Amino acid sequence: MKVLSCSDMGSECSFEARAETEEELKKLVAEHGKAVHNMEGIPDELWEKAKAVIREE
């Protein structure tokens, strides 16, 4: 299981996403980013940073 949280990215947001694949995880993170952080998609540079802090459970 792959895990990524907003706090891993330096945010005070408590959101945490869990998914079997990186693609599923990115989709969950993008949905959260749009709903909560008013982001339209995840810029490539930000996703590269996120991939570096994804944890395995």
Side-chain angles (χ1 to χ4, degrees):
M1 182 73 59
K2 298 182 182 307
V3 182
L4 179 65
S5 67
C6 279
S7 63
D8 294 334
M9 300 296 292
S11 172
E12 293 184 18
C13 177
S14 63
F15 174 78
E16 186 169 86
R18 286 182 162 74
E20 291 296 324
T21 67
E22 190 175 292
E23 293 79 23
E24 292 171 18
L25 190 66
K26 186 174 183 180
K27 181 180 176 187
L28 293 172
V29 170
E31 289 170 357
H32 167 75
K34 183 174 184 175
V36 177
H37 300 290
N38 299 314
M39 295 176 67
E40 287 298 326
I42 302 173
D44 291 339
E45 181 179 295
L46 184 60
W47 185 244
E48 289 302 314
K49 181 181 174 185
K51 288 187 336 184
V53 296
I54 293 173
R55 301 182 312 277
E56 293 283 342
E57 283 190 343

Short mmCIF file of all heavy atoms in Angstrom, two decimals:
data_model
loop_
_atom_site.label_atom_id
_atom_site.label_comp_id
_atom_site.label_asym_id
_atom_site.label_seq_id
_atom_site.Cartn_x
_atom_site.Cartn_y
_atom_site.Cartn_z
N MET A 1 0.85 -1.18 0.00
CA MET A 1 0.00 0.00 0.00
C MET A 1 0.89 1.24 0.00
O MET A 1 1.80 1.36 0.82
CB MET A 1 -0.89 -0.03 1.24
CG MET A 1 -1.87 1.12 1.34
SD MET A 1 -3.28 1.07 0.21
CE MET A 1 -4.05 -0.46 0.61
N LYS A 2 0.62 2.15 -0.91
CA LYS A 2 1.37 3.40 -1.00
C LYS A 2 0.61 4.48 -0.22
O LYS A 2 -0.61 4.55 -0.30
CB LYS A 2 1.54 3.81 -2.46
CG LYS A 2 2.34 2.78 -3.24
CD LYS A 2 2.55 3.20 -4.66
CE LYS A 2 3.30 2.17 -5.46
NZ LYS A 2 4.55 1.73 -4.91
N VAL A 3 1.35 5.30 0.53
CA VAL A 3 0.75 6.32 1.39
C VAL A 3 1.44 7.65 1.17
O VAL A 3 2.67 7.73 1.10
CB VAL A 3 0.89 5.92 2.89
CG1 VAL A 3 0.24 6.96 3.78
CG2 VAL A 3 0.34 4.54 3.15
N LEU A 4 0.61 8.70 1.06
CA LEU A 4 1.12 10.06 0.94
C LEU A 4 0.19 10.98 1.70
O LEU A 4 -1.03 10.88 1.58
CB LEU A 4 1.18 10.48 -0.54
CG LEU A 4 1.68 11.89 -0.82
CD1 LEU A 4 3.14 12.06 -0.42
CD2 LEU A 4 1.49 12.24 -2.29
N SER A 5 0.76 11.87 2.49
CA SER A 5 -0.05 12.82 3.23
C SER A 5 0.38 14.24 2.87
O SER A 5 1.51 14.47 2.43
CB SER A 5 0.08 12.60 4.73
OG SER A 5 1.37 12.90 5.17
N CYS A 6 -0.52 15.18 3.08
CA CYS A 6 -0.19 16.59 2.84
C CYS A 6 0.96 17.01 3.74
O CYS A 6 1.82 17.77 3.32
CB CYS A 6 -1.41 17.48 3.08
SG CYS A 6 -2.56 17.53 1.70
N SER A 7 0.99 16.48 4.97
CA SER A 7 2.06 16.86 5.88
C SER A 7 3.43 16.41 5.36
O SER A 7 4.44 17.05 5.64
CB SER A 7 1.80 16.31 7.29
OG SER A 7 1.79 14.91 7.28
N ASP A 8 3.46 15.33 4.57
CA ASP A 8 4.71 14.90 3.94
C ASP A 8 5.24 15.96 2.98
O ASP A 8 6.43 16.01 2.70
CB ASP A 8 4.52 13.60 3.15
CG ASP A 8 4.18 12.41 4.01
OD1 ASP A 8 4.56 12.39 5.20
OD2 ASP A 8 3.54 11.47 3.48
N MET A 9 4.34 16.79 2.50
CA MET A 9 4.68 17.83 1.54
C MET A 9 4.87 19.20 2.21
O MET A 9 4.97 20.21 1.54
CB MET A 9 3.58 17.92 0.47
CG MET A 9 3.37 16.64 -0.30
SD MET A 9 4.80 16.18 -1.29
CE MET A 9 4.78 17.50 -2.48
N GLY A 10 4.86 19.21 3.53
CA GLY A 10 5.11 20.45 4.25
C GLY A 10 3.87 21.23 4.61
O GLY A 10 3.96 22.35 5.10
N SER A 11 2.70 20.66 4.39
CA SER A 11 1.44 21.33 4.70
C SER A 11 0.97 20.96 6.10
O SER A 11 1.33 19.91 6.63
CB SER A 11 0.37 20.90 3.69
OG SER A 11 -0.90 21.39 4.06
N GLU A 12 0.16 21.82 6.70
CA GLU A 12 -0.44 21.51 7.99
C GLU A 12 -1.73 20.72 7.83
O GLU A 12 -2.36 20.34 8.81
CB GLU A 12 -0.69 22.80 8.77
CG GLU A 12 0.60 23.47 9.18
CD GLU A 12 0.38 24.70 10.02
OE1 GLU A 12 -0.71 24.87 10.59
OE2 GLU A 12 1.32 25.49 10.11
N CYS A 13 -2.14 20.44 6.61
CA CYS A 13 -3.34 19.66 6.32
C CYS A 13 -3.15 18.22 6.78
O CYS A 13 -2.07 17.64 6.60
CB CYS A 13 -3.62 19.71 4.82
SG CYS A 13 -5.03 18.73 4.28
N SER A 14 -4.18 17.62 7.35
CA SER A 14 -4.06 16.26 7.89
C SER A 14 -4.48 15.17 6.89
O SER A 14 -4.51 14.00 7.26
CB SER A 14 -4.90 16.13 9.16
OG SER A 14 -6.27 16.34 8.88
N PHE A 15 -4.77 15.53 5.65
CA PHE A 15 -5.18 14.54 4.64
C PHE A 15 -4.09 13.49 4.43
O PHE A 15 -2.90 13.80 4.37
CB PHE A 15 -5.48 15.25 3.32
CG PHE A 15 -5.76 14.30 2.18
CD1 PHE A 15 -7.00 13.68 2.07
CD2 PHE A 15 -4.80 14.03 1.23
CE1 PHE A 15 -7.27 12.81 1.03
CE2 PHE A 15 -5.06 13.16 0.18
CZ PHE A 15 -6.30 12.55 0.08
N GLU A 16 -4.52 12.23 4.27
CA GLU A 16 -3.61 11.15 3.96
C GLU A 16 -4.30 10.23 2.95
O GLU A 16 -5.45 9.86 3.14
CB GLU A 16 -3.26 10.37 5.22
CG GLU A 16 -2.20 9.33 5.00
CD GLU A 16 -1.68 8.76 6.30
OE1 GLU A 16 -2.30 7.81 6.82
OE2 GLU A 16 -0.68 9.30 6.80
N ALA A 17 -3.60 9.91 1.88
CA ALA A 17 -4.15 9.04 0.84
C ALA A 17 -3.43 7.70 0.87
O ALA A 17 -2.21 7.65 1.09
CB ALA A 17 -4.00 9.69 -0.53
N ARG A 18 -4.20 6.63 0.61
CA ARG A 18 -3.64 5.28 0.52
C ARG A 18 -4.17 4.63 -0.75
O ARG A 18 -5.37 4.69 -1.02
CB ARG A 18 -4.08 4.45 1.72
CG ARG A 18 -3.40 4.78 2.99
CD ARG A 18 -3.89 3.83 4.11
NE ARG A 18 -2.99 3.83 5.24
CZ ARG A 18 -2.88 4.81 6.11
NH1 ARG A 18 -3.62 5.88 5.99
NH2 ARG A 18 -2.02 4.73 7.12
N ALA A 19 -3.28 3.98 -1.49
CA ALA A 19 -3.69 3.30 -2.72
C ALA A 19 -2.69 2.20 -3.04
O ALA A 19 -1.56 2.21 -2.57
CB ALA A 19 -3.77 4.30 -3.87
N GLU A 20 -3.13 1.27 -3.86
CA GLU A 20 -2.28 0.15 -4.26
C GLU A 20 -1.22 0.57 -5.28
O GLU A 20 -0.12 0.03 -5.29
CB GLU A 20 -3.13 -0.98 -4.85
CG GLU A 20 -4.00 -1.68 -3.83
CD GLU A 20 -3.20 -2.40 -2.76
OE1 GLU A 20 -2.13 -2.95 -3.06
OE2 GLU A 20 -3.65 -2.40 -1.60
N THR A 21 -1.56 1.53 -6.15
CA THR A 21 -0.62 1.94 -7.19
C THR A 21 -0.37 3.44 -7.11
O THR A 21 -1.16 4.21 -6.55
CB THR A 21 -1.16 1.63 -8.59
OG1 THR A 21 -2.30 2.47 -8.84
CG2 THR A 21 -1.54 0.16 -8.74
N GLU A 22 0.73 3.86 -7.70
CA GLU A 22 1.07 5.28 -7.75
C GLU A 22 0.02 6.05 -8.54
O GLU A 22 -0.32 7.18 -8.18
CB GLU A 22 2.45 5.43 -8.39
CG GLU A 22 3.01 6.82 -8.29
CD GLU A 22 4.42 6.89 -8.82
OE1 GLU A 22 5.32 6.30 -8.19
OE2 GLU A 22 4.61 7.53 -9.87
N GLU A 23 -0.51 5.45 -9.59
CA GLU A 23 -1.52 6.12 -10.41
C GLU A 23 -2.80 6.38 -9.60
O GLU A 23 -3.38 7.46 -9.68
CB GLU A 23 -1.85 5.29 -11.66
CG GLU A 23 -0.70 5.18 -12.64
CD GLU A 23 0.35 4.14 -12.23
OE1 GLU A 23 0.04 3.21 -11.46
OE2 GLU A 23 1.51 4.29 -12.66
N GLU A 24 -3.22 5.37 -8.83
CA GLU A 24 -4.41 5.55 -7.98
C GLU A 24 -4.16 6.61 -6.92
O GLU A 24 -5.03 7.42 -6.62
CB GLU A 24 -4.77 4.22 -7.30
CG GLU A 24 -5.27 3.15 -8.22
CD GLU A 24 -5.41 1.80 -7.52
OE1 GLU A 24 -5.45 1.75 -6.28
OE2 GLU A 24 -5.48 0.79 -8.23
N LEU A 25 -2.96 6.60 -6.36
CA LEU A 25 -2.60 7.57 -5.33
C LEU A 25 -2.64 8.99 -5.91
O LEU A 25 -3.19 9.90 -5.29
CB LEU A 25 -1.21 7.25 -4.78
CG LEU A 25 -0.79 8.03 -3.55
CD1 LEU A 25 -1.64 7.67 -2.35
CD2 LEU A 25 0.68 7.75 -3.25
N LYS A 26 -2.09 9.16 -7.10
CA LYS A 26 -2.08 10.48 -7.73
C LYS A 26 -3.50 10.97 -7.96
O LYS A 26 -3.80 12.16 -7.76
CB LYS A 26 -1.30 10.44 -9.05
CG LYS A 26 -1.15 11.81 -9.67
CD LYS A 26 -0.25 11.76 -10.89
CE LYS A 26 -0.05 13.15 -11.47
NZ LYS A 26 0.82 13.13 -12.66
N LYS A 27 -4.40 10.08 -8.36
CA LYS A 27 -5.80 10.46 -8.58
C LYS A 27 -6.44 10.95 -7.28
O LYS A 27 -7.11 11.98 -7.26
CB LYS A 27 -6.58 9.28 -9.15
CG LYS A 27 -8.02 9.61 -9.44
CD LYS A 27 -8.77 8.42 -10.00
CE LYS A 27 -10.23 8.79 -10.19
NZ LYS A 27 -11.05 7.67 -10.56
N LEU A 28 -6.22 10.22 -6.18
CA LEU A 28 -6.77 10.63 -4.89
C LEU A 28 -6.21 11.97 -4.43
O LEU A 28 -6.94 12.83 -3.94
CB LEU A 28 -6.48 9.56 -3.82
CG LEU A 28 -7.17 8.21 -4.00
CD1 LEU A 28 -6.62 7.22 -2.99
CD2 LEU A 28 -8.68 8.36 -3.87
N VAL A 29 -4.91 12.14 -4.61
CA VAL A 29 -4.26 13.38 -4.22
C VAL A 29 -4.78 14.55 -5.07
O VAL A 29 -5.04 15.63 -4.55
CB VAL A 29 -2.73 13.25 -4.31
CG1 VAL A 29 -2.04 14.59 -4.15
CG2 VAL A 29 -2.23 12.26 -3.27
N ALA A 30 -4.97 14.32 -6.36
CA ALA A 30 -5.48 15.36 -7.24
C ALA A 30 -6.90 15.77 -6.86
O ALA A 30 -7.24 16.96 -6.85
CB ALA A 30 -5.43 14.91 -8.70
N GLU A 31 -7.74 14.78 -6.53
CA GLU A 31 -9.11 15.07 -6.11
C GLU A 31 -9.12 15.89 -4.83
O GLU A 31 -9.87 16.85 -4.69
CB GLU A 31 -9.89 13.78 -5.91
CG GLU A 31 -10.20 13.06 -7.20
CD GLU A 31 -10.76 11.66 -6.99
OE1 GLU A 31 -10.87 11.20 -5.84
OE2 GLU A 31 -11.09 11.02 -8.02
N HIS A 32 -8.27 15.53 -3.88
CA HIS A 32 -8.17 16.27 -2.62
C HIS A 32 -7.63 17.68 -2.88
O HIS A 32 -8.16 18.65 -2.35
CB HIS A 32 -7.24 15.54 -1.65
CG HIS A 32 -6.85 16.37 -0.48
ND1 HIS A 32 -7.71 16.64 0.56
CD2 HIS A 32 -5.69 17.01 -0.18
CE1 HIS A 32 -7.09 17.41 1.44
NE2 HIS A 32 -5.86 17.64 1.02
N GLY A 33 -6.61 17.78 -3.71
CA GLY A 33 -6.03 19.08 -4.03
C GLY A 33 -7.05 20.03 -4.63
O GLY A 33 -7.08 21.21 -4.28
N LYS A 34 -7.90 19.52 -5.49
CA LYS A 34 -8.93 20.35 -6.11
C LYS A 34 -9.99 20.75 -5.10
O LYS A 34 -10.36 21.92 -5.01
CB LYS A 34 -9.57 19.60 -7.28
CG LYS A 34 -10.59 20.44 -8.01
CD LYS A 34 -11.11 19.73 -9.25
CE LYS A 34 -12.05 20.65 -9.99
NZ LYS A 34 -12.50 20.07 -11.25
N ALA A 35 -10.47 19.80 -4.30
CA ALA A 35 -11.56 20.05 -3.37
C ALA A 35 -11.15 20.93 -2.19
O ALA A 35 -11.93 21.77 -1.74
CB ALA A 35 -12.12 18.73 -2.85
N VAL A 36 -9.94 20.74 -1.69
CA VAL A 36 -9.54 21.41 -0.46
C VAL A 36 -8.56 22.56 -0.68
O VAL A 36 -8.64 23.58 -0.01
CB VAL A 36 -8.94 20.38 0.54
CG1 VAL A 36 -8.43 21.04 1.80
CG2 VAL A 36 -9.98 19.32 0.87
N HIS A 37 -7.65 22.39 -1.62
CA HIS A 37 -6.58 23.38 -1.80
C HIS A 37 -6.76 24.21 -3.07
O HIS A 37 -5.85 24.96 -3.44
CB HIS A 37 -5.22 22.69 -1.81
CG HIS A 37 -4.92 21.95 -0.54
ND1 HIS A 37 -4.67 22.58 0.66
CD2 HIS A 37 -4.85 20.61 -0.27
CE1 HIS A 37 -4.45 21.67 1.60
NE2 HIS A 37 -4.57 20.46 1.06
N ASN A 38 -7.90 24.06 -3.74
CA ASN A 38 -8.22 24.83 -4.95
C ASN A 38 -7.16 24.69 -6.04
O ASN A 38 -6.85 25.64 -6.75
CB ASN A 38 -8.43 26.31 -4.61
CG ASN A 38 -9.59 26.50 -3.66
OD1 ASN A 38 -10.66 25.92 -3.85
ND2 ASN A 38 -9.39 27.29 -2.63
N MET A 39 -6.62 23.48 -6.17
CA MET A 39 -5.62 23.22 -7.20
C MET A 39 -6.29 22.61 -8.42
O MET A 39 -7.19 21.81 -8.30
CB MET A 39 -4.56 22.24 -6.68
CG MET A 39 -3.74 22.76 -5.54
SD MET A 39 -2.60 21.51 -4.91
CE MET A 39 -1.50 21.33 -6.32
N GLU A 40 -5.85 23.01 -9.58
CA GLU A 40 -6.32 22.41 -10.82
C GLU A 40 -5.23 21.48 -11.33
O GLU A 40 -4.33 21.88 -12.04
CB GLU A 40 -6.62 23.49 -11.87
CG GLU A 40 -7.87 24.29 -11.58
CD GLU A 40 -9.15 23.44 -11.58
OE1 GLU A 40 -9.24 22.47 -12.35
OE2 GLU A 40 -10.04 23.75 -10.77
N GLY A 41 -5.29 20.24 -10.89
CA GLY A 41 -4.28 19.26 -11.28
C GLY A 41 -3.04 19.38 -10.41
O GLY A 41 -2.93 20.25 -9.55
N ILE A 42 -2.10 18.48 -10.64
CA ILE A 42 -0.85 18.46 -9.91
C ILE A 42 0.28 18.74 -10.89
O ILE A 42 0.53 17.94 -11.79
CB ILE A 42 -0.62 17.08 -9.24
CG1 ILE A 42 -1.78 16.75 -8.31
CG2 ILE A 42 0.71 17.08 -8.48
CD1 ILE A 42 -1.71 15.35 -7.74
N PRO A 43 0.96 19.88 -10.73
CA PRO A 43 2.09 20.17 -11.63
C PRO A 43 3.15 19.05 -11.55
O PRO A 43 3.36 18.46 -10.49
CB PRO A 43 2.65 21.48 -11.08
CG PRO A 43 1.53 22.08 -10.29
CD PRO A 43 0.75 20.92 -9.74
N ASP A 44 3.80 18.78 -12.67
CA ASP A 44 4.81 17.71 -12.72
C ASP A 44 5.87 17.89 -11.64
O ASP A 44 6.28 16.92 -11.00
CB ASP A 44 5.47 17.67 -14.10
CG ASP A 44 4.53 17.19 -15.18
OD1 ASP A 44 3.51 16.53 -14.85
OD2 ASP A 44 4.79 17.47 -16.36
N GLU A 45 6.32 19.11 -11.43
CA GLU A 45 7.37 19.37 -10.44
C GLU A 45 6.90 18.99 -9.03
O GLU A 45 7.65 18.39 -8.25
CB GLU A 45 7.76 20.85 -10.48
CG GLU A 45 8.85 21.23 -9.52
CD GLU A 45 9.20 22.70 -9.63
OE1 GLU A 45 9.70 23.12 -10.70
OE2 GLU A 45 8.98 23.42 -8.65
N LEU A 46 5.65 19.30 -8.72
CA LEU A 46 5.10 18.96 -7.41
C LEU A 46 4.94 17.45 -7.27
O LEU A 46 5.23 16.87 -6.22
CB LEU A 46 3.76 19.67 -7.19
CG LEU A 46 3.12 19.48 -5.83
CD1 LEU A 46 4.02 19.99 -4.72
CD2 LEU A 46 1.77 20.20 -5.78
N TRP A 47 4.51 16.77 -8.33
CA TRP A 47 4.34 15.32 -8.26
C TRP A 47 5.68 14.63 -8.10
O TRP A 47 5.80 13.63 -7.39
CB TRP A 47 3.57 14.77 -9.47
CG TRP A 47 3.31 13.31 -9.31
CD1 TRP A 47 3.80 12.30 -10.08
CD2 TRP A 47 2.55 12.67 -8.27
NE1 TRP A 47 3.38 11.08 -9.61
CE2 TRP A 47 2.61 11.28 -8.49
CE3 TRP A 47 1.82 13.13 -7.19
CZ2 TRP A 47 1.98 10.35 -7.68
CZ3 TRP A 47 1.18 12.21 -6.37
CH2 TRP A 47 1.25 10.85 -6.61
N GLU A 48 6.72 15.14 -8.72
CA GLU A 48 8.06 14.56 -8.55
C GLU A 48 8.49 14.67 -7.08
O GLU A 48 9.05 13.73 -6.52
CB GLU A 48 9.08 15.24 -9.47
CG GLU A 48 8.90 14.89 -10.92
CD GLU A 48 8.98 13.40 -11.20
OE1 GLU A 48 9.90 12.73 -10.68
OE2 GLU A 48 8.12 12.87 -11.93
N LYS A 49 8.21 15.81 -6.46
CA LYS A 49 8.50 15.98 -5.03
C LYS A 49 7.68 14.99 -4.20
O LYS A 49 8.18 14.37 -3.27
CB LYS A 49 8.20 17.42 -4.61
CG LYS A 49 8.49 17.70 -3.16
CD LYS A 49 8.15 19.14 -2.78
CE LYS A 49 8.31 19.38 -1.29
NZ LYS A 49 7.88 20.71 -0.88
N ALA A 50 6.41 14.83 -4.55
CA ALA A 50 5.53 13.92 -3.82
C ALA A 50 6.02 12.48 -3.94
O ALA A 50 6.03 11.74 -2.95
CB ALA A 50 4.11 14.04 -4.35
N LYS A 51 6.44 12.07 -5.14
CA LYS A 51 6.90 10.69 -5.34
C LYS A 51 8.09 10.37 -4.44
O LYS A 51 8.24 9.24 -4.00
CB LYS A 51 7.26 10.45 -6.80
CG LYS A 51 6.04 10.39 -7.67
CD LYS A 51 6.26 9.98 -9.11
CE LYS A 51 7.56 10.17 -9.74
NZ LYS A 51 7.60 9.82 -11.17
N ALA A 52 8.88 11.38 -4.13
CA ALA A 52 10.07 11.17 -3.30
C ALA A 52 9.71 10.87 -1.84
O ALA A 52 10.53 10.33 -1.10
CB ALA A 52 10.99 12.39 -3.37
N VAL A 53 8.49 11.23 -1.42
CA VAL A 53 8.11 11.03 -0.02
C VAL A 53 6.98 10.01 0.16
O VAL A 53 6.48 9.84 1.26
CB VAL A 53 7.75 12.37 0.69
CG1 VAL A 53 8.97 13.27 0.74
CG2 VAL A 53 6.59 13.07 0.00
N ILE A 54 6.58 9.33 -0.92
CA ILE A 54 5.56 8.27 -0.80
C ILE A 54 6.15 7.15 0.05
O ILE A 54 7.27 6.72 -0.15
CB ILE A 54 5.15 7.74 -2.18
CG1 ILE A 54 4.40 8.82 -2.96
CG2 ILE A 54 4.31 6.47 -2.05
CD1 ILE A 54 4.09 8.45 -4.40
N ARG A 55 5.34 6.72 1.02
CA ARG A 55 5.75 5.62 1.91
C ARG A 55 5.04 4.34 1.50
O ARG A 55 3.96 4.36 0.94
CB ARG A 55 5.38 5.94 3.37
CG ARG A 55 6.00 7.19 3.90
CD ARG A 55 5.65 7.45 5.36
NE ARG A 55 4.23 7.34 5.71
CZ ARG A 55 3.30 8.29 5.56
NH1 ARG A 55 3.64 9.43 5.01
NH2 ARG A 55 2.08 8.10 5.95
N GLU A 56 5.66 3.22 1.82
CA GLU A 56 5.06 1.91 1.59
C GLU A 56 4.61 1.34 2.93
O GLU A 56 5.33 1.44 3.92
CB GLU A 56 6.07 0.95 0.97
CG GLU A 56 6.51 1.31 -0.43
CD GLU A 56 5.48 0.96 -1.49
OE1 GLU A 56 4.56 0.16 -1.23
OE2 GLU A 56 5.58 1.52 -2.59
N GLU A 57 3.41 0.79 2.98
CA GLU A 57 2.90 0.12 4.19
C GLU A 57 2.68 -1.34 3.90
O GLU A 57 2.36 -1.73 2.84
CB GLU A 57 1.58 0.74 4.64
CG GLU A 57 1.74 2.04 5.33
CD GLU A 57 0.42 2.50 5.97
OE1 GLU A 57 -0.64 1.99 5.63
OE2 GLU A 57 0.49 3.40 6.81
#
